[in-house]
Amino acid sequence: MAFPLIRTPLQQGMNSIPLTRDLLLIGGGHTHALVLRKWGMNPLPGVRVTVINPGPTAPYSGMLPGFVAGHYTREELDIDLVKLARFAGARIIDGYATGIDKDAQTVAVSGRPSIAYDVVSVDIGITSAMPDLPGFTAHAIPAKPLGTFASCWDSFRASAKAPHIAIIGGGVAGAELAMAMSHALRDKSPTVHLLDRSRVLTALGYKARQKMIAALTANNIEITEDAEVTEIFAEGLVLRNGRTIRSDFTTGAAGAKPHDWIAQTGLDLHQGFIAVDANLQSSDPAIFAVGDCAHLRANPRPKAGVYAVRQAPILFANLRAVLSGGTLRPYKPQRDYLKLISLGAKSALAEKFGTAREGPLLWKLKDHIDRKFMDQFETLAPMGAPDLPRKTALGVKEALGDKPMCGGCGAKVGRAALQNVLTDHFGDDAAEVQAGQVMSTDHLRALTHDPVVMTRIAAVHALGDIWAMGAKPQAATASLILPRMSATLQERTMTEIMSTASEVFAKAGAKIIGGHSSLGDELTIGFTITGLTKAPVTLAGAQAGDKLILTKPIGSGTVMAAEMQGKAKGADVMACLDLMTQDQAAASVILSKAHAMTDITGFGLAGHLRGICDASGVGVTLDLDAIPLMHGALALSASGVRSSLFTDNRIGAGPIEGPVMELLFDPQTAGGLLAAVAPASADATLRKLHKAGYTASIIGEITADQVFRTQ
């Protein structure tokens, strides 16, 4: 039985130790995944770890043929990097690294400011794209990177009828894919071509090659050797000899090619791959490289996942050593390794030292090894509750709760408490400080380790109060609390935050005119904003018969609470963050004629809707089935996941007649606008919102009886 790995109270208290070094991991390959797991169990105090990867998951290459054949689901294939990063205490950046400036010690990432580093490790694998082959980019799918290929295959497999498939590259990888594809589509009479410009399977010994060719034949694979592809088009490909082969799905699996941007790094390379020494260091000692993107100068080895896996403990030790002034260790790769090759059905071939065997028992062995590898990333648990002193004041245990406090709006004070205290100042999102000018302030406790994403969320969240009143943002001041860190890291973090904030506010038509910063226990970002409007849209104005329009799905509090507990899928977390960074500028303009409007934030949908009803003296009938929900939120809510503010929000929303959905009380961060719109214009308004890119819905109707009911 596998026991979950749990971070210790010592690791939880590491925020009190100043951050002094930045470690960047470019790519979520096998080596980096294992390093993150090790880091979560034994972090180096003072180091801020950042993972850069295009997407929330990293497919495991060993299970790809089994996935293609239909033996594994996509979820079983993928390592969830979001969960892994949370366990390691690392920030994860969803994006493509496009370059390293080793002089400035920065990494360029598409769509965001460059990221500074002290030490960087590269584990981005290889590509099998063939950009120089006419038509390949437009009409073919490279087998690597694996994530894109897996998604394309998923779609093709679901829709294919009597398919024709062509695999360019007759190595082991191409042969495995050919047999897996044939097996997956065996009920649809597929035609599968395996093409090689010379001979197939030359990397195998004689016995293994003969057995593989027999397996290909048994899977009805058409092998074409000495086949040079000269062009690919939508319905197939053309060979040098003039032959045309029909193909509905063409993929390239011919060899390992380095990613283009590596050539611009100025590092020593070998055939385009980063050359590293025995310590896995490149020609720049601050830059490491591992996995298929690296070339081992001292002990060259073929591109194989087994070497990447065995590099992990050495890389982990050496990263810690170079960041703390320790001694580095050499990596000594084994001379050969056991090759376990899938044969389509649940059978496999094994080869080592020229000996070859095949059969179902070897598939079971391969399946056991692969699942054991993946199980390492499924038995991670979030931080446990800190150990309390033997004696504490009454109520400490209850106040601490049994889970970490949420970030974002989940960390706010509840509506009921605020309503009791701020009896004379409780109401609209922003205040009209003088005719035509409104003002609001808001700040958020960080719910993600990435300062850029957190800044976008905090800015959009604060701007929501201005947009909710139909105003145009004018000016803003920033209020920042940074975790304790060195002066160098302070400058790096401030640069990321302020450049991002300036971008968001400039897009909104406003500018940052000042602010204040300090150091504290954790990252907190806030903005005070002014806006201009001729006629503010307030809470008071909703009329019986008005249609309620919501511009964004709800569920962010639940998804992010689950992320802290290690229960949310990484893809759902990334989708949630994307929705939180979606601005409401266009929606505010479209809804400027609304009778009443607010933005859905900390009090949840029910609490903010109650605000409109109370201020307008009306009631509402809410259609629960019409409310848009974030991916994963409903299932997580049904499993009992709750944000810290849930209980207060349920009390603050007051009585509700009819069935109740728990997500009504879920605190939202940078949520959508909720507007009461005249019934005659509601449908046209909804169409405009959809055209502008919002997931908007009509979710209910205002009533005259001052009763909050659902249906």
Side-chain angles (χ1 to χ4, degrees), residues 321-635:
V322 76
L323 286 162
S324 62
T327 302
L328 278 66
R329 294 168 47 190
Y331 167 63
K332 300 176 182 178
Q334 69 271 35
R335 186 165 63 88
D336 197 6
Y337 63 96
L338 177 65
K339 302 177 187 70
L340 288 168
I341 304 167
S342 298
L343 301 178
K346 291 186 176 181
S347 180
L349 179 144
E351 186 207 36
K352 189 173 184 181
F353 298 127
T355 303
R357 298 285 188 273
E358 63 177 306
L361 288 178
L362 290 170
W363 162 264
K364 291 183 178 180
L365 174 62
K366 176 175 171 53
D367 178 63
H368 172 75
I369 293 172
D370 289 339
R371 288 187 184 275
K372 183 178 179 181
F373 176 81
M374 293 298 284
D375 283 346
Q376 298 176 92
F377 308 109
E378 294 297 323
T379 54
L380 307 176
M383 294 184 297
D387 293 332
L388 290 174
R390 184 173 300 176
K391 286 187 178 294
T392 64
L394 296 174
V396 167
K397 186 176 181 180
E398 291 75 13
L400 187 62
D402 58 357
K403 59 184 179 183
M405 184 175 69
C406 292
C409 278
K412 287 191 171 185
V413 177
R415 183 176 190 271
L418 285 176
Q419 199 168 21
N420 290 336
V421 174
L422 303 176
T423 53
D424 297 328
H425 305 281
F426 190 82
D428 284 303
D429 301 291
E432 191 172 14
V433 293
Q434 60 183 357
Q437 186 181 53
V438 296
M439 179 177 180
S440 180
T441 188
D442 223 319
H443 72 275
L444 297 173
R445 176 177 180 263
L447 46 72
T448 172
H449 292 304
D450 183 358
V452 169
V453 172
M454 194 59 230
T455 301
R456 287 177 180 152
I457 291 171
V460 168
H461 177 82
L463 283 163
D465 288 343
I466 304 299
W467 286 322
M469 298 196 79
K472 292 184 178 180
Q474 178 190 26
T477 59
S479 177
L480 309 176
I481 301 175
L482 303 183
R484 294 183 63 195
M485 54 180 62
S486 66
T488 299
L489 265 66
Q490 289 175 37
E491 182 178 347
R492 292 174 181 175
T493 306
M494 286 288 288
T495 299
E496 290 191 56
I497 290 173
M498 294 312 298
S499 61
T500 303
S502 297
E503 175 193 328
V504 174
F505 280 100
K507 181 182 176 183
K511 62 180 179 179
I512 298 177
I513 58 174
H516 178 76
S517 62
S518 62
L519 297 179
D521 286 338
E522 58 189 357
L523 179 63
T524 302
I525 303 175
F527 299 95
T528 298
I529 309 172
T530 60
L532 301 176
T533 179
K534 293 180 180 179
V537 183
T538 67
L539 297 175
Q543 302 171 16
D546 282 351
K547 301 296 184 181
L548 282 171
I549 293 180
L550 178 63
T551 63
K552 279 188 186 182
I554 63 172
S556 63
T558 295
V559 172
M560 298 312 296
E563 191 269 339
M564 292 184 70
Q565 299 171 43
K567 296 179 179 179
K569 294 179 181 178
D572 292 340
V573 173
M574 288 295 189
C576 176
L577 293 172
D578 285 344
L579 280 167
M580 283 191 271
T581 59
Q582 182 188 35
D583 70 56
Q584 300 291 288
S588 176
V589 174
I590 294 169
L591 294 167
S592 61
K593 301 299 182 183
H595 293 154
M597 187 156 60
T598 186
D599 60 332
I600 307 303
T601 54
F603 303 153
L605 175 57
H608 286 284
L609 181 52
R610 176 69 70 178
I612 288 180
C613 292
D614 291 348
S616 301
V618 296
V620 65
T621 298
L622 202 58
D623 183 356
L624 297 182
D625 292 335
I627 298 172
L629 306 177
M630 292 186 182
H631 287 295
L634 188 62

Side-chain angles (χ1 to χ4, degrees), residues 13-27:
M14 283 178 55
N15 282 346
S16 62
I17 298 175
L19 298 170
T20 62
R21 293 292 183 272
D22 271 314
L23 168 63
L24 266 58
L25 304 178
I26 303 176

Side-chain angles (χ1 to χ4, degrees), residues 166-192:
I167 298 102
I168 304 172
V172 171
E176 276 191 299
L177 286 178
M179 290 185 283
M181 290 172 171
S182 179
H183 179 78
L185 301 172
R186 60 193 180 280
D187 296 332
K188 299 181 179 182
S189 303
T191 300
V192 182

Side-chain angles (χ1 to χ4, degrees), residues 11 38 43 72 85 171 204 210 251 291 309 397 442 471 496 515 521 599 606 669 680 697 700:
Q11 291 164 289
K38 288 178 174 293
Y72 303 118
L204 295 177
Q210 294 306 308
T251 187
V309 169
K397 186 176 181 180
D442 223 319
E496 290 191 56
D521 286 338
D599 60 332
T669 303
S697 297

